[in-house]
Amino acid sequence: MPSFLEKPHHQLSIVQNYYSDSLFGLSKNRHRKSLRVMKEQRVDETEDQISKLPDPISHHFMGLLLAKDAAQISTLSKTLYAAWSSLPYLNFGDRFFYREVHGRWILSEKIQELVHIVDQTLANRKKHKISVQKFWLKVPSSYRMSSSYVRNWIKILVTSNIKELILKVGESDSSFDSLPEELFVVEGLNVLNLRGFKLGLPPDHGIKFSSLRKLRLTDTYLDEQLIQALCASCVCLEKLRLSCCRGLASLRIAASLQKLKTVWLRCLPELQIVDIAAPNVENLYIESQLWNLQVVKITCCKSLQTLYIVDVDVTDGWLEDLLVNQPNLECLSLSGCLKLQKIKISSDRLKYLALSWCLELINVVLETPTLTRFRYKCDENLPTLKLMKSSVFLVLKLEFSLTNILDSHWYSMLMKFLGNFKQSKAIKLDCCDRDGIVIPKDTRENMVPPLYVANATWYIKFNTFGDCSLVDILDSLLWISPQLDTLILVQESNLNTTLKFIDEDASAEGEKFLWRHKLKKVRMANFTCMEQQELRNYLFTNEDYIGEEAFSKLMEWDCDYCRRKELHLLVDNDEEAIADVKKLLMVSLIFGAFKEV
């Protein structure tokens, strides 16, 4: 073990030497001098160990820090200072020109001083011919700081053989003109991430990004000719991401980009035509802004595994043709596709499907035996769903945003929709209010419980319970799924409440609809005392159905839970909660004594 890691041993040696000197009657000053000498020796040993670290390791650890923190650490020793002076990773981060005030980040008043720090740092590396492999900085807008500084920094980085450049403008105002032409001929550049700049094709049309693997442009004005030149020259490009960029009316990603794996196109307000022809794209995200994207072509992408389409008016025929030509598709998400009416998917590879706010959708047919996640998000409009093949591991997530008064027809559609998931092990419901799941009792009389054979776990999340109670929700869910395994109510506080039902086997066909006949035990967690009592009263409404043995077990468990809850609350010294628990215990004991009589 290196000596600088043996801190307890050094401290023990110092203490032992101190007391040894005391036994020989040495003066108090001698004690202090001896202690100081030992400490200095310990520091020297530590510095010796640090100085033995190879430069790549020192650079690696310091490169994990922001430049400001690395510079502060460099003052601790000559070795660390030397490592900082030659550090090839300069991460100034997104907040170098900002300061925190009451939890908010505002622009610093010392901009010129901070600009001088960046200037000096880059000038030193240029002077000593030190390579800068990574540079990350977010700068204020040009009306706060002259753009000439940024252009000068880029020129220095180009001469320093920059490998990864992340440069952002704080408030995008399109005032940072085109970048220096020298940047477009850096053959060793691997990552380029720009925000808030104007990009145009250089006058000599020289673009030599032969090593570029990742390109990300945000809030940037683009020239269509520049994009086409980039696609032609960046033969090693693996990831392309364009977000909130202007100047593009059409975008064609050519088949020459053989290594391109991920394409992300988000909110390009002027974009109307997209043509993706790169053959090895695996992940594709296309989000239109206000449905302005008119044409989307995805051809030759036989390797596509993940596809997200957001706010694009694709049609039934477009989707059908796409799915036929994508045999490896595993994840499909369609959101805001307002022209979709019918969806039919037959796939042995699809594992995740999400349909959100496709408001005109009326019919969905799925033959997907490997599907394990299905998410549907909508308002009151529910399509007719036919799940022909499904996995036993399928999890349904259903999200409602209800605005109108629901009628019996809607509840009937909901029951038919849920009836497709009899084999599902988990169902997640996110609803803005209780009307989406509390089925009126008069409506239940004309329906069959859709999940009477499902032994599933339900996750319920409500923004508000409205006028209904916890018992109303439980009663409705036990009608929908009489063999409910677990009910979890997701709370905003992240302290979820849980009901675990333990039943006997329901062999008779008629008993599958009557959960009380076979209820053996109920376990509760994280409910308040009042909620426990309400649930208890509901579960014991008909004692004959439960039976004496089940009643005793429930009673025993309930009291045991209260005792454990009381002990837990005693630790927190919550006197009011303790009083509530004592009252509940008294009610439970009285109820038990009454039963015996």
Side-chain angles (χ1 to χ4, degrees):
M1 180 183 294
S3 59
F4 72 94
L5 295 177
E6 299 176 354
K7 182 175 180 180
H9 174 72
H10 284 294
Q11 291 178 339
L12 182 59
S13 300
I14 293 171
V15 174
Q16 288 176 344
N17 283 308
Y18 177 83
Y19 282 104
S20 298
D21 291 344
S22 298
L23 293 175
F24 288 99
L26 299 177
S27 64
K28 187 177 296 185
N29 291 334
R30 178 70 178 275
H31 301 331
R32 294 174 179 171
K33 183 177 180 181
S34 176
L35 184 62
R36 184 173 64 254
V37 171
M38 294 298 295
K39 288 183 176 179
E40 290 176 353
Q41 291 177 353
R42 177 181 161 199
V43 172
D44 290 340
E45 292 175 359
T46 302
E47 289 182 344
D48 289 339
Q49 294 297 328
I50 293 177
S51 64
K52 294 179 181 179
L53 292 175
D55 287 343
I57 295 179
S58 300
H59 289 159
H60 174 75
F61 286 121
M62 298 191 75
L64 299 175
L65 305 173
L66 291 174
K68 178 180 178 181
D69 299 329
Q72 291 176 345
I73 291 177
S74 70
T75 61
L76 298 178
S77 70
K78 294 180 180 179
T79 303
L80 291 174
Y81 179 76
W84 158 250
S85 300
S86 60
L87 185 66
Y89 314 109
L90 297 178
N91 182 3
F92 290 94
D94 289 344
R95 296 173 176 173
F96 182 73
F97 287 98
Y98 299 81
R99 63 185 182 90
E100 187 176 9
V101 178
H102 302 301
R104 297 180 58 192
W105 290 89
I106 63 174
L107 196 63
S108 174
E109 298 86 359
K110 303 178 180 180
I111 290 182
Q112 291 304 318
E113 296 180 17
L114 297 172
V115 167
H116 178 71
I117 292 174
V118 179
D119 267 338
Q120 192 66 32
T121 302
L122 292 177
N124 289 338
R125 279 156 177 76
K126 181 180 179 181
K127 179 180 179 181
H128 296 94
K129 298 181 179 180
I130 298 173
S131 174
V132 180
Q133 297 182 19
K134 179 179 179 179
F135 184 83
W136 183 336
L137 177 63
K138 180 180 178 180
V139 299
S141 296
S142 60
Y143 70 89
R144 300 279 189 177
M145 187 186 78
S146 174
S147 60
S148 60
Y149 291 113
V150 178
R151 297 177 63 87
N152 185 53
W153 294 340
I154 292 176
K155 291 179 180 179
I156 294 177
L157 292 171
V158 168
T159 60
S160 301
N161 300 318
I162 184 70
K163 302 293 184 183
E164 182 174 346
L165 178 60
I166 302 176
L167 197 56
K168 307 176 183 179
V169 178
E171 301 84 14
S172 178
D173 58 3
S174 300
S175 56
F176 280 87
D177 299 324
S178 59
L179 297 172
E181 297 178 13
E182 293 86 345
L183 178 63
F184 295 97
V185 293
V186 182
E187 295 186 3
L189 189 64
N190 300 136
V191 178
L192 181 60
N193 185 342
L194 300 175
R195 175 181 176 181
F197 292 91
K198 283 184 177 180
L199 297 183
L201 190 66
D204 59 355
H205 295 188
I207 297 180
K208 299 180 180 179
F209 287 153
S210 57
S211 301
L212 191 65
R213 295 183 294 105
K214 298 179 182 179
L215 175 61
R216 179 172 181 176
L217 304 176
T218 306
D219 292 332
T220 299
Y221 183 85
L222 298 177
D223 187 319
E224 289 190 31
Q225 295 180 345
L226 171 68
I227 292 296
Q228 298 306 322
L230 285 172
C231 291
S233 64
C234 302
V235 293
C236 294
L237 192 64
E238 298 175 3
K239 294 184 178 180
L240 172 64
R241 179 163 182 160
L242 306 178
S243 300
C244 305
C245 296
R246 293 185 174 275
L248 281 181
S250 64
L251 174 63
R252 175 176 172 78
I253 299 179
S256 59
L257 296 177
Q258 297 284 329
K259 296 184 179 181
L260 189 61
K261 301 293 184 182
T262 300
V263 177
W264 181 287
L265 307 175
R266 178 180 176 271
C267 297
L268 307 177
E270 300 169 19
L271 188 63
Q272 297 182 0
I273 301 174
V274 170
D275 187 356
I276 311 292
N280 297 311
V281 172
E282 296 178 356
N283 308 296
L284 178 58
Y285 180 97
I286 301 178
E287 179 180 352
S288 177
Q289 182 169 337
L290 299 177
W291 294 272
N292 63 307
L293 189 57
Q294 302 297 322
V295 179
V296 176
K297 296 181 180 180
I298 303 175
T299 57
C300 304
C301 303
K302 301 297 184 180
S303 301
L304 192 63
Q305 297 179 7
T306 302
L307 175 62
Y308 280 75
I309 301 293
V310 181
D311 294 346
V312 180
D313 284 337
V314 297
T315 62
D316 300 347
W318 178 91
L319 182 61
E320 183 179 357
D321 294 339
L322 175 73
L323 296 176
V324 169
N325 295 308
Q326 303 302 330
N328 298 310
L329 193 64
E330 297 181 356
C331 175
L332 174 62
S333 177
L334 303 172
S335 178
C337 300
L338 301 183
K339 290 186 178 180
L340 280 179
Q341 294 184 335
K342 296 180 181 180
I343 295 178
K344 183 177 181 180
I345 301 177
S346 178
S347 171
D348 293 332
R349 300 291 299 272
L350 192 66
K351 298 178 181 179
Y352 175 85
L353 175 62
L355 304 175
S356 304
W357 299 110
C358 300
L359 301 181
E360 300 300 321
L361 195 59
I362 58 176
N363 189 24
V364 178
V365 178
L366 302 178
E367 190 174 354
T368 50
T370 59
L371 189 67
T372 56
R373 294 289 186 276
F374 179 49
R375 178 185 177 187
Y376 191 84
K377 186 175 182 179
C378 66
D379 53 7
E380 297 88 355
N381 297 319
L382 273 174
T384 300
L385 174 65
K386 186 175 182 181
L387 195 59
M388 300 177 65
K389 290 184 179 180
S390 65
S391 169
V392 294
F393 303 105
L394 178 60
V395 174
L396 167 67
K397 185 172 183 180
L398 191 57
E399 300 178 56
F400 293 132
S401 180
L402 305 176
T403 56
N404 299 322
I405 298 177
L406 305 178
D407 55 15
S408 58
H409 174 72
W410 187 88
Y411 288 116
S412 176
M413 293 294 294
L414 176 61
M415 295 304 102
K416 291 179 181 179
F417 191 95
L418 292 176
N420 289 276
F421 301 92
K422 294 183 178 67
Q423 305 299 324
S424 297
K425 296 299 182 182
I427 297 176
K428 300 180 180 181
L429 179 63
D430 189 344
C431 191
C432 61
D433 57 47
R434 57 99 179 181
D435 290 336
I437 197 61
V438 178
I439 313 299
K441 292 185 177 181
D442 56 346
T443 304
R444 302 179 201 175
E445 296 176 357
N446 300 320
M447 297 182 186
V448 175
L451 301 176
Y452 63 88
V453 297
N455 187 21
T457 297
W458 280 69
Y459 298 81
I460 309 295
K461 182 178 179 180
F462 290 91
N463 293 335
T464 175
F465 280 176
D467 297 331
C468 76
S469 66
L470 181 61
V471 169
D472 294 332
I473 297 172
L474 179 59
D475 183 67
S476 180
L477 289 176
L478 285 174
W479 177 82
I480 294 174
S481 181
Q483 299 187 48
L484 179 65
D485 179 82
T486 306
L487 172 61
I488 300 175
L489 299 178
V490 181
Q491 308 289 339
E492 293 182 356
S493 61
N494 294 325
L495 185 64
N496 299 335
T497 54
T498 304
L499 278 169
K500 172 68 176 178
F501 299 90
I502 300 176
D503 303 333
E504 296 178 358
D505 293 334
S507 56
E509 185 67 24
E511 293 181 357
K512 293 181 179 181
F513 302 95
L514 302 174
W515 58 268
R516 281 195 176 95
H517 275 142
K518 294 300 179 179
L519 182 61
K520 186 176 181 182
K521 187 183 294 186
V522 180
R523 293 177 180 173
M524 293 181 279
N526 300 326
F527 287 98
T528 65
C529 298
M530 186 63 68
E531 289 173 339
Q532 289 182 53
Q533 189 61 38
E534 290 178 359
L535 292 171
R536 175 188 173 83
N537 292 338
Y538 168 72
L539 294 171
F540 297 156
T541 298
N542 193 329
E543 175 191 332
D544 295 335
Y545 284 149
I546 300 176
E548 184 67 27
E549 182 181 358
F551 177 87
S552 299
K553 290 180 180 179
L554 281 164
M555 185 73 179
E556 179 182 355
W557 183 91
D558 195 20
C559 291
D560 179 64
Y561 175 84
C562 292
R563 284 193 292 269
R564 289 188 286 108
K565 185 70 173 177
E566 183 180 18
L567 291 174
H568 173 72
L569 292 173
L570 281 171
V571 176
D572 294 338
N573 197 24
D574 189 339
E575 296 181 358
E576 183 178 354
I578 293 171
D580 291 341
V581 172
K582 288 180 177 178
K583 292 178 181 178
L584 180 59
L585 281 171
M586 184 61 68
V587 172
S588 299
L589 293 173
I590 293 174
F591 190 35
F594 178 76
K595 266 294 297 180
E596 293 178 0
V597 174

